[in-house]
Amino acid sequence: GAWALPGTYTIKLTADGKQLTQPLTVKMDPRIKTPLPELQAQAAVQAGAVAGMNRSYEALSQVQSVRAQLKESATKAKGKLAESLEDLDKQCAALAGATTSAFFGTPPTGKQPENFSTLNQHFGHLLGIADSADAAPTTQASDVYNELNTELNTLLKRWNDLKQNTVPKLSSELQKAGLAAIDSKKPLDHEMGEGGDGDDEP
């Protein structure tokens, strides 16, 4: 995760309804001469990468949960309803994607579209780079971070649109057919999930 900057902190522990606090001072290793502004820039990228991992992981879990529910309903649906389930599943599959063994760098075929799985990997790789030295992130690392954030926001917008429009409409049709509605907030049963191996949550 993101490193704590030098400074004074308060540690809080809540147990059995009681809260205990303890002050903590984090001091910089005297061997490190990196200026504070550079450490702050590093911490910002670290925190952003962690947030990106969390957001992509949460969205991926939701998409995988919906796909598992679609798969279950598809065995009972017929006609246009079955086609609608298949269409939504294809859209969800594109958003979920799959992890890759060599996700960094540009493949010979050129840059591939991002999905929640690859974004989760990319944010994790970026966090590793930011953690590798007590220094401000390079211009290249900062550019990658900004690009990943843009890609994530675009995918989240697509996913939110599906959740707010397509999923409720299809759920209504499922209920009319006597089938269970789709719940995008339903926790993912990892035994039913697909392509989740390797996705990280810090």
Side-chain angles (χ1 to χ4, degrees):
W3 295 347
L5 290 169
T8 302
Y9 298 85
T10 299
I11 300 175
K12 295 181 180 180
L13 173 64
T14 301
D16 295 329
K18 298 181 179 179
Q19 187 178 84
L20 302 175
T21 61
Q22 177 69 40
L24 173 68
T25 299
V26 177
K27 296 182 179 181
M28 192 64 188
D29 186 328
R31 297 170 297 178
I32 304 299
K33 305 302 180 183
T34 307
L36 182 59
E38 291 189 21
L39 294 177
Q40 291 172 330
Q42 178 191 34
V45 171
Q46 289 173 327
V50 169
M53 291 177 70
N54 284 331
R55 294 170 70 200
S56 58
Y57 184 89
E58 179 182 5
L60 178 59
S61 295
Q62 291 177 356
V63 174
Q64 290 176 332
S65 175
V66 167
R67 292 197 71 195
Q69 295 173 65
L70 290 173
K71 183 178 181 180
E72 184 175 349
S73 297
T75 61
K76 308 170 185 177
K78 299 179 180 180
K80 291 185 178 180
L81 180 57
E83 293 177 2
S84 296
L85 292 173
E86 182 179 0
D87 181 65
L88 177 56
D89 184 62
K90 288 181 179 179
Q91 295 183 67
C92 288
L95 288 171
T99 55
T100 59
S101 58
F103 59 89
F104 49 89
T106 303
T109 55
K111 190 179 186 304
Q112 301 298 306
E114 294 282 3
N115 52 64
F116 289 133
S117 292
T118 57
L119 280 173
N120 187 267
Q121 284 187 300
H122 282 125
F123 276 117
H125 183 61
L126 181 63
L127 177 60
I129 293 175
D131 284 349
S132 64
D134 295 301
T138 64
T139 300
Q140 182 181 19
S142 296
D143 289 344
V144 168
Y145 168 67
N146 291 330
E147 182 179 343
L148 292 178
N149 261 330
T150 298
E151 294 279 1
L152 178 58
N153 288 331
T154 298
L155 290 184
L156 287 175
K157 184 177 180 180
R158 286 171 53 189
W159 175 229
N160 287 331
D161 181 64
L162 288 177
K163 287 194 297 182
Q164 295 171 9
N165 298 294
T166 305
V167 170
K169 181 179 178 180
L170 187 53
S171 290
S172 178
E173 294 177 3
L174 284 168
Q175 289 179 313
K176 290 179 181 178
L179 300 175
I182 303 169
D183 183 3
S184 61
K185 296 182 180 180
K186 181 179 179 180
L188 173 67
D189 181 347
H190 286 281
E191 292 183 358
M192 299 175 62
E194 299 177 12
D197 294 340
D199 303 309
D200 297 317
E201 180 183 29

